[in-house]
Amino acid sequence: MVGWQQQQINLGQEHQEDLSFLVSRQRAWIEIDLTALAHNVKTLKGYLAPQTKLMAVIKADAYGHGAVTVAQTALANGANCLAIATLAEGVELRQAGITSPILILGAINAVEDIKAVAAWKLEPTIGNLEQALAFDATLATVGKSLPVHLKLDTGMSRLGTNWQEATSLVQLVRTRANLKIASIYSHFSTADESDRTIMNLQHQRFNQAIAQLKTTGFVPPQLHLANSAATLSDRSCHYDMVRVGLALYGLYPATHLHQELDLWPVLQVKAKITQVKTIPAGEGVSYGRKFIAPRDTKVAVVGIGYADGVPRNLSNRLQAIVCGQLVPQIGSITMDQLMLQVDHLQDLKPGEVVTLIGQQNNLSITADDWANKLNTISWEILCGFKHRLPRIFN
Ligand SMILES: *Cc1c(COP(=O)(O)O)cnc(C)c1O
């Protein structure tokens, strides 16, 4: 007899060809509401002065929403251009046939990467003199020129040239045959805070740098400074373009900015119940028995876990919506599964859909709810959902 290890598994033809379960509501998934996304883009665009451009920030796979589809929907509804963080993210969009301008917010330094930026017609951020020289020299070897975006550091202390040295960077880039200045920009460190002190300081520094540049006879073709928070909180930061990420996805950068615009959440996280059982009083639930049934308790097992992006630190603190009711999650969240306490739900069966983030009836659970419990920000929650969860676009 052959041990099971040695047996050949013979897949039927139909199994080999039907891979639709990879993008189906099979176990756990993310639903992306493209109507909500379109609404948010139009709402944001309507909030801007007519000549102000909207750059849709879709780095990190559009904050977990799926970069290609989000890009197409945003562009079709009024976004003027796109921003991503890495070369690979830009190439993915070009390979999908997207032809709009694409700004790379992150740093590109290596010669091979510079060549790829040019080949894929992406637009780099130039944050210092060495980078400007490297780009110019490499572009010369391939006989290409590129629009480039110069980054000033006005107080974030991340990428960019110190705002007081803007003129030397601009003077250098202006004299380089293969670099065409497309814009000058900077980034806020505290635009989501209600205290505007540092935001105003950065804004002033940006204006001072631009004023200084103008005295040298240089007229910047485009200026941009605002992320979602600054877009919502201060119109004087809009300049020629705003770079909006979070708000596209229907979330607010801070609670005090909620009243500005009516944005709709785009992403929902759902999973199916896989088993329902009743455990006796005193029985423990999950690893480490972090939940002990206080009485006979009905438990629903759900096919989603921390390997999908549900943080284990939410164990015993999470809620879910099942059959239009909020129910508590109990015990440690495991890699692929978690448990809910569903005592009062009658006739609950495997296959029932659970909403972990999303809306049902008048109930809603947002990425902000998770972020608040974890002492982090909604950006991190959205980016934390893994590719194991198929994105389903509605
Ligand atoms: C991510 C990012 C944005 C978008 O930020 P949101 O707060 O999500 O709107 C804008 N500008 C830069 C430079 C960024 O890195």
Side-chain angles (χ1 to χ4, degrees), residues 98-121:
I98 289 167
T99 56
S100 79
I102 301 175
L103 166 61
I104 307 178
L105 297 167
I108 303 288
N109 290 311
V111 168
E112 289 313 309
D113 294 349
I114 294 173
K115 286 182 183 166
V117 168
W120 291 98
K121 293 193 162 57

Side-chain angles (χ1 to χ4, degrees), residues 21-310:
F21 63 87
L22 291 176
V23 286
S24 74
R25 295 167 171 81
Q26 189 261 329
R27 176 186 81 103
W29 62 93
I30 281 180
E31 281 177 26
I32 301 296
D33 181 351
L34 294 177
T35 309
L37 177 65
H39 163 87
N40 297 338
V41 173
K42 286 186 212 146
T43 304
L44 284 156
K45 190 71 182 158
Y47 184 74
L48 304 175
Q51 71 279 8
T52 307
K53 289 185 187 168
L54 175 63
M55 172 178 270
V57 179
I58 57 165
K59 61 195 179 196
D61 201 26
Y63 295 35
H65 292 61
V68 170
T69 309
V70 166
Q72 288 161 340
T73 307
L75 291 168
N77 286 281
N80 302 87
C81 53
L82 305 169
I84 40 80
T86 70
L87 175 56
E89 289 172 355
V91 172
E92 183 195 7
L93 297 173
R94 286 285 184 253
Q95 283 181 322
I98 289 167
T99 56
S100 79
I102 301 175
L103 166 61
I104 307 178
L105 297 167
I108 303 288
N109 290 311
V111 168
E112 289 313 309
D113 294 349
I114 294 173
K115 286 182 183 166
V117 168
W120 291 98
K121 293 193 162 57
L122 303 169
E123 302 186 7
T125 294
I126 302 282
N128 59 59
L129 300 173
E130 298 72 38
Q131 224 188 343
L133 292 171
F135 261 90
D136 188 57
T138 303
L139 290 172
T141 65
V142 292
K144 286 182 176 149
S145 71
L146 269 187
V148 298
H149 301 256
L150 306 188
K151 180 96 184 260
L152 305 184
D153 182 358
T154 55
M156 175 77 177
S157 303
R158 199 169 63 176
L159 289 181
T161 290
N162 184 328
W163 59 282
Q164 288 148 317
E165 285 142 31
T167 309
S168 39
L169 180 63
V170 169
Q171 296 294 35
L172 177 87
V173 174
R174 279 179 82 185
T175 61
R176 299 287 140 172
N178 302 292
L179 307 179
K180 310 269 171 274
I181 299 177
S183 82
I184 303 207
Y185 78 102
S186 187
H187 190 46
F188 283 122
S189 60
T190 63
D192 54 340
E193 293 177 9
S194 43
D195 181 340
R196 299 271 186 97
T197 315
I198 298 300
M199 181 177 165
N200 290 341
L201 176 69
Q202 285 195 255
H203 191 184
Q204 271 170 25
R205 289 172 169 180
F206 188 67
N207 280 335
Q208 265 175 269
I210 301 305
Q212 173 67 33
L213 285 175
K214 286 184 178 161
T215 65
T216 68
F218 175 72
V219 183
Q222 276 191 106
L223 300 173
H224 47 108
L225 181 58
N227 54 6
S228 294
T231 301
L232 296 185
S233 65
D234 187 349
R235 285 177 184 277
S236 72
C237 297
H238 288 189
Y239 296 94
D240 301 299
M241 178 159 80
V242 295
R243 303 186 306 269
V244 176
L246 192 75
L248 290 177
Y249 310 106
L251 292 167
Y252 295 85
T255 36
H256 69 277
L257 298 172
H258 273 234
Q259 65 285 359
E260 283 302 321
L261 284 181
D262 175 34
L263 302 172
W264 301 348
V266 173
L267 172 146
Q268 298 194 85
V269 180
K270 298 188 177 177
K272 280 184 184 165
I273 289 178
T274 52
Q275 189 171 344
V276 182
K277 61 175 67 174
T278 299
I279 59 170
E283 201 66 46
V285 174
S286 192
Y287 296 121
R289 292 164 48 87
K290 296 290 187 320
F291 179 91
I292 305 291
R295 55 180 179 274
D296 291 0
T297 297
K298 197 168 170 188
V299 175
V301 183
V302 184
I304 190 169
Y306 61 77
D308 300 290
V310 182

